[in-house]
Amino acid sequence: MIVVTGATGHLGRGIVENLLGRIAARDIVASVRDPGKAGGLAARGVAVRAGDFADARSLEAVFRGADQVLIVSADKLGDEALNLHRNAIGAARSVGVRRILYTSHMGARAGSPFLPADQHTGTEADLAASGVAYTSLRHGFYEESCLHMIGDGLRNGELRTPE
């Protein structure tokens, strides 16, 4: 069984939809904050469970029995995101999940001028320290990521490369 977190978001829902074309619905669990928004998935045979990154106990209940958990990275930045991801990693470890998959970011590295890339590096370090097998899925940039990287330049009319 695989659990997909954030299954009512754009990426999470897309992943569940793709999985439904590859494996049986009974082998997929959609972890969502609001199960009422996942009725369409439930109608297709996907188990829907309430889980919130801010509530590690809710995640333990969602993750229990899973072989794999896909942690779709939180839509927060900095320490808040790192703490939410740590909750998910800790919950997966505590219930014996065999592998954690994590939606990281291409170019993830410490000290990146693009804050999310630096943050993903922190979560990848937490995954490595967890003792659970993991895979970092370093997907490419979203269009809106560009605005994070050049936002100051757009505001002040000057683009600079990191020094």
Side-chain angles (χ1 to χ4, degrees), residues 75-93:
D75 61 350
K76 307 292 182 201
L77 293 174
D79 288 341
E80 183 178 8
L82 287 169
N83 289 329
L84 294 172
H85 297 158
R86 283 183 189 125
N87 284 345
I89 293 165
R93 182 183 59 235

Side-chain angles (χ1 to χ4, degrees), residues 8 30 32-40 42 48-51:
T8 53
V32 298
R33 284 181 287 203
D34 181 358
K37 293 181 179 180
V48 175
R49 298 181 187 169

Side-chain angles (χ1 to χ4, degrees), residues 1 5-6 10 12 21 24 43 49 53 69 73-74 85 88 121-122 132 137 146 161:
M1 171 177 56
T5 68
H10 294 294
R49 298 181 187 169
F53 282 6
V69 169
S73 56
H85 297 158
T121 300
V132 178
L137 304 167
C146 182
T161 58

